Amino acid sequence: MSSVADDLHHDEHHDHKPAGIMRWLLTTNHKDIGTLYLWFAFIMFLVGGAMAMVIRAELFQPGLQIVEPNFFNQMTTVHGLIMVFGAVMPAFTGLANWMVPLMIGAPDMALPRMNNWSFWILPGAFLILLASLFLEGGGPNFGWTFYAPLSTTYSNDSTALFVFSVHIMGISSIMGAINVIVTIFNMRAPGMTWMKMPMFVWTWLITAFLLIAVMPVLAGAVTMVLTDKYFGTSFFDAAGGGDPVLFQHIFWFFGHPEVYIMILPAFGIISHIVPTFSRKKLFGYSSMVYATASIALLSFIVWAHHMFTTGMPLFAEMFFMFATMLISVPTGVKVFNWVATMWRGSISYEMPMMFALAFIVLFTIGGFSGLMLAITPVDFQYHDTYFVVAHFHYVLVTGAVFSIMAAVYYWLPKWCGKMYDQTLAQWHFWCSLISVNLLFFPMHFVGLAGMPRRIPDYALQFADFNKWISIGGFAFGLSQLIFLALIIKASRKIGEPATAQVWDGAEGLEWEVPSPAPYHTFETPPEVK
Amino acid sequence: MTEQSQSNNRMVIKLVAIVIGMFGFGFALVPLYDVFCDITGINGKTNPYAATYDVNTDVDTSREITVEFITRNQSGMPWDFEARTHRIKVHPGELKTVEFYVRNPTGRDIIGQAIPSVSPGTAALYLNKTECFCFEQQPLKAGAEALMPMQFYVDPQLPEDIKVFTLSYTLYDVTGTSTVAMNRG
Ligand code: HEM
Ligand SMILES: [Cu+2]
């Protein structure tokens, strides 16, 4: 091992990088690009979060008081788009950029110049989307799912900008996915066979395949919306022979795999953190790999569980109900494996582990509400209510977002060379944990009682619950500022120095390079035994 | 240059081919969906062309099917539009005619297009229309009114479990995009 470390010291002497902004604009270094993605995702998380605060402020009390209904709709739409395409997906891409080369012992991503492009077109896409909010008539207001005819016949003039920005986001993530796949196929260190690959690498490889399979379908869907609206085609217009239900099929053919794009890398992260802090090997590594692959394959045949109320024939409803329930089997395998990994381990409760534990419990709650929604006859009551909102926020916020936070705590010492501030971390964790449940748990109840989603007002009997939900929302939003402070502190190199190993139970190549990881690593590939 | 970058390039080409293929697949879903629904009749779309009625068709007097008619306007379509017959009982194989009333209460000429939809969707395959105003766009001068006929029979093959089905028409204003001449009224 000492030879690897020697090489790395040598590497540190030739960090030729231009100074200032040009370094970031022109960089092709996977660590720089990873950092850019992560910061971008965090900024988008705060911007999208600010919109959620507007939503919750309006819903604090029944009645219309703060914003116009049309602006409220723009907030729900752009909040969703930003969180999905601007926060969660770029954060995972950032983690992949930083960690995949380090984990497989590669000097960089396979296609560094494309990497630079795939990041730098993203800010443009979101500037366009955000700018559309300030145009006359406002930005997109048809929901992140942009169902036709809301996005065609009834949408405002800024729809072309919406379509354009989604195209750019799509191109960016497709380029990112291609890069990940080529890197993993071609740049693994000698001896790193498929079944020795770290779980994060496996889950990202499968995610990348999902991305190149469904992002083009999304691009097709927005293109059809564009031509229906501006060029007189009738893909989704019944008057011209089209069918608005077709839109939903195309959208959800993309949309359901998309939700797994946002959770598979999270599964990978948790599969690193749980063994580290249980000081045991991951239980059932190969079953984890197969479970991930089968979740990805099954995710293509369940899309219509979002469409139970569109008047599908009975056999289709039955098929999509059972196929959906089938997915919870491999998902259950994963949860079982994490619990089995902890079983009789010597567990310690550092911050990454705390977030991972919260993930396991709360993500499972989201999985259960998903199962409830998968039961066709009851979905007729739950559909388009706050129950669905509760479901997808449990899987996405306490699932995907918590896993990203866990990952940041886990790898931040490696990135910055300093341990994070323990006090701030405790505050961040406990404030987030309590507020996030105050925010999302009561949504189950108001949803079951019939409160519809995406409506700026509600019946009086929901007032108390909504007040508490809003308070939870503001508290969760504020808690993230603690996280921001903690990250700024570590990246300013304030804190206790971290060792190369950082966590004593951690395994993997990333822990064999010094902390902070030098600009260039693994220029001579390490030997994997 | 190196062997490494050659094999990278080969892989990128393959992956880009998948991306282009999937973009195409998104569009291929459009005809696939239509064909699939046509064969299975599951989205309630009826045949857009006139069926021919064979006068020797056996009328199945042992069964009686209730057919209901409802009408609605796309928002912004100002015509009055209603079914003169709201429900009718027919024997499978029997030819019937019903009428729909339209009036253009505005001061401008408008062209309408009615789009039919059947619920439950599976009944759509067995509803044969020999004549329908929905086969063509319908021009109506300012202030004019009209009675539009629809003639149909129910295929005797209609599954036993369907005893009632509903035919709904949604009326769209297609004046802007229409090529039909404005002559009625
Ligand atoms: C056990 C696994 C899961 C099951 C059975 C499941 C089931 C469902 C069902 C049936 C719906 C549609 C509800 C309705 O609209 O009436 C739904 C919505 C949704 N699910 Fe899940 N789900 C699961 C896991 C996930 C995961 C892992 C994610 C993301 C990380 C996710 C994200 C979403 C989102 C975003 C929506 C709402 C989309 C929208 O209408 O805006 N789900 N889920
Ligand atoms: Cu789904």
Side-chain angles (χ1 to χ4, degrees):
Chain A
M1 227 54 288
S2 72
S3 77
V4 173
D6 286 349
D7 283 348
L8 292 167
H9 275 282
H10 157 77
D11 287 342
E12 265 176 307
H13 298 300
H14 56 88
D15 298 4
H16 307 294
K17 43 190 176 194
I21 182 85
M22 288 320 269
R23 161 179 175 195
W24 298 104
L25 271 178
L26 300 177
T27 185
T28 55
N29 178 287
H30 74 102
K31 301 186 184 85
D32 280 354
I33 293 175
T35 305
L36 285 170
Y37 265 113
L38 286 166
W39 271 114
F40 177 77
F42 200 22
I43 292 166
M44 284 295 121
F45 183 58
L46 296 178
V47 172
M51 294 174 181
M53 298 300 98
V54 174
I55 296 169
R56 284 322 315 176
E58 177 59 56
L59 294 175
F60 189 74
Q61 282 178 15
L64 297 176
Q65 40 255 323
I66 298 175
V67 292
E68 294 282 312
N70 186 31
F71 188 71
F72 181 90
N73 289 349
Q74 293 171 37
M75 286 293 104
T76 54
T77 304
V78 182
H79 163 75
L81 290 168
I82 287 196
M83 288 307 197
V84 169
F85 296 104
V88 173
M89 290 169 69
F92 281 134
T93 314
L95 290 171
N97 264 289
W98 249 103
M99 301 319 296
V100 167
L102 284 180
M103 286 179 164
I104 63 175
D108 204 316
M109 297 292 278
L111 310 159
R113 232 165 312 197
M114 187 168 90
N115 210 8
N116 172 289
W117 273 102
S118 59
F119 174 75
W120 277 112
I121 61 176
L122 259 192
F126 284 91
L127 280 180
I128 293 171
L129 183 65
L130 288 170
S132 74
L133 287 171
F134 297 99
L135 294 182
E136 213 184 303
N141 57 6
F142 29 68
W144 83 280
T145 50
F146 62 101
Y147 279 12
L150 293 179
S151 57
T152 53
T153 317
Y154 302 105
S155 64
N156 51 29
D157 294 332
S158 68
T159 305
L161 293 181
F162 157 80
V163 169
F164 189 47
S165 72
V166 172
H167 271 145
I168 303 176
M169 296 170 203
I171 291 171
S172 163
S173 36
I174 288 171
M175 292 202 291
I178 290 180
N179 216 339
V180 168
I181 296 175
V182 178
T183 306
I184 296 174
F185 268 80
N186 289 355
M187 305 204 27
R188 277 169 294 136
M192 172 140 326
T193 55
W194 288 111
M195 289 316 264
K196 276 190 192 158
M197 263 180 7
M199 267 323 286
F200 182 68
V201 180
W202 257 118
T203 52
W204 238 110
L205 179 65
I206 292 169
T207 302
F209 274 108
L210 284 181
L211 277 166
I212 61 168
V214 300
M215 289 310 278
V217 177
L218 174 70
V222 286
T223 307
M224 290 182 226
V225 163
L226 184 81
T227 60
D228 264 18
K229 184 165 174 65
Y230 296 98
F231 303 110
T233 57
S234 305
F235 289 108
F236 309 130
D237 183 7
D243 190 338
V245 175
L246 171 65
F247 174 87
Q248 298 188 29
H249 282 291
I250 299 178
F251 181 82
W252 288 113
F253 184 84
F254 146 80
H256 190 82
E258 167 68 19
V259 309
Y260 284 98
I261 287 168
M262 295 189 283
I263 205 67
L264 294 184
F267 290 166
I269 292 164
I270 302 303
S271 305
H272 283 253
I273 292 175
V274 169
T276 297
F277 297 99
S278 307
R279 289 162 187 81
K280 277 175 63 188
K281 282 230 168 314
L282 178 67
F283 182 87
Y285 167 87
S286 49
S287 68
M288 282 301 212
V289 173
Y290 296 128
T292 311
S294 38
I295 291 175
L297 288 176
L298 286 174
S299 76
F300 284 102
I301 57 158
V302 299
W303 76 90
H305 63 214
H306 296 272
M307 304 170 51
F308 284 142
T309 58
T310 54
M312 280 191 287
L314 190 62
F315 73 82
E317 308 221 297
M318 301 271 281
F319 172 82
F320 286 108
M321 169 164 108
F322 288 121
T324 303
M325 292 182 167
L326 199 60
I327 293 204
S328 48
V329 176
T331 314
V333 168
K334 290 189 161 278
V335 176
F336 176 83
N337 285 351
W338 293 321
V339 175
T341 307
M342 289 187 276
W343 181 254
R344 299 210 164 146
S346 40
I347 302 180
S348 59
Y349 298 94
E350 280 92 342
M351 206 35 70
M353 185 64 167
M354 298 296 275
F355 271 97
L357 290 172
F359 171 98
I360 295 172
V361 174
L362 300 176
F363 172 78
T364 306
I365 293 180
F368 281 139
S369 58
L371 270 175
M372 289 172 70
L373 291 166
I375 304 169
T376 312
V378 297
D379 183 62
F380 276 71
Q381 183 186 341
Y382 305 161
H383 181 64
D384 260 349
T385 68
Y386 258 80
F387 191 80
V388 178
V389 180
H391 159 66
F392 67 72
H393 283 94
Y394 265 88
V395 285
L396 284 171
V397 178
T398 60
V401 172
F402 268 33
S403 82
I404 293 166
M405 290 175 177
V408 170
Y409 282 109
Y410 190 52
W411 285 308
L412 195 65
K414 180 56 63 190
W415 302 334
C416 301
K418 301 287 174 190
M419 286 308 282
Y420 50 78
D421 183 317
Q422 303 285 352
T423 322
L424 287 180
Q426 293 289 338
W427 276 102
H428 174 229
F429 175 76
W430 289 107
C431 289
S432 296
L433 183 72
I434 294 166
S435 59
V436 87
N437 283 293
L438 183 60
L439 166 57
F440 296 124
F441 207 79
M443 287 184 183
H444 291 112
F445 306 131
V446 287
L448 290 182
M451 178 172 159
R453 62 189 283 210
R454 292 174 175 165
I455 307 279
D457 190 6
Y458 48 82
L460 286 178
Q461 68 266 33
F462 303 132
D464 285 348
F465 273 124
N466 272 285
K467 184 181 74 193
W468 286 109
I469 293 172
S470 287
I471 292 173
F474 301 139
F476 185 71
L478 289 175
S479 312
Q480 303 324 309
L481 300 179
I482 310 176
F483 192 40
L484 178 65
L486 176 144
I487 295 174
I488 291 178
K489 222 174 146 186
S491 51
R492 289 258 181 95
K493 313 280 180 201
I494 307 171
E496 279 174 42
T499 60
Q501 178 64 28
V502 185
W503 314 107
D504 50 358
E507 279 182 32
L509 291 176
E510 78 261 39
W511 309 110
E512 292 178 7
V513 305
S515 303
Y519 202 54
H520 298 284
T521 38
F522 296 130
E523 293 202 306
T524 21
E527 198 70 54
V528 181
K529 282 152 284 203
Chain B
M1 94 26 301
T2 60
E3 203 180 312
Q4 168 92 70
S5 66
Q6 268 178 0
S7 84
N8 285 356
N9 288 348
R10 271 198 304 274
M11 216 169 162
V12 171
I13 291 169
K14 278 185 213 149
L15 294 172
V16 170
I18 300 182
V19 169
I20 295 171
M22 288 309 291
F23 187 69
F25 177 74
F27 283 87
L29 283 174
V30 178
L32 278 174
Y33 175 79
D34 283 343
V35 170
F36 186 74
C37 291
D38 229 29
I39 296 170
T40 54
I42 54 179
N43 66 346
K45 273 192 195 173
T46 58
N47 207 326
Y49 310 106
T52 40
Y53 181 69
D54 181 353
V55 282
N56 301 320
T57 305
D58 286 329
V59 177
D60 179 358
T61 49
S62 67
R63 289 174 71 193
E64 202 174 47
I65 312 296
T66 306
V67 186
E68 301 175 329
F69 301 97
I70 53 177
T71 57
R72 34 171 285 174
N73 288 17
Q74 172 220 25
S75 77
M77 174 55 157
W79 288 4
D80 298 332
F81 176 40
E82 67 187 45
R84 275 289 146 90
T85 312
H86 290 285
R87 52 165 53 205
I88 188 172
K89 288 190 185 320
V90 296
H91 299 299
E94 179 187 13
L95 197 62
K96 283 274 184 194
T97 306
V98 290
E99 281 181 325
F100 289 76
Y101 168 77
V102 278
R103 190 172 76 90
N104 179 355
T106 67
R108 62 197 163 89
D109 302 348
I110 291 177
I111 301 170
Q113 167 76 61
I115 302 290
S117 175
V118 172
S119 178
T122 29
L125 280 182
Y126 305 92
L127 174 67
N128 297 306
K129 291 183 278 189
T130 53
E131 190 189 334
C132 181
F133 54 91
C134 63
F135 293 152
E136 271 142 31
Q137 298 182 339
Q138 302 291 337
L140 209 55
K141 288 229 162 78
E145 57 183 1
L147 273 181
M148 307 188 298
M150 196 280 277
Q151 191 180 48
F152 72 99
Y153 68 94
V154 177
D155 191 318
Q157 305 291 319
L158 182 77
E160 285 292 335
D161 61 317
I162 301 181
K163 298 188 174 62
V164 185
F165 65 85
T166 308
L167 173 57
S168 109
Y169 282 104
T170 307
L171 194 63
Y172 289 81
D173 177 351
V174 294
T175 316
T177 53
S178 176
T179 49
V180 173
M182 197 72 227
N183 51 13
R184 187 155 75 197

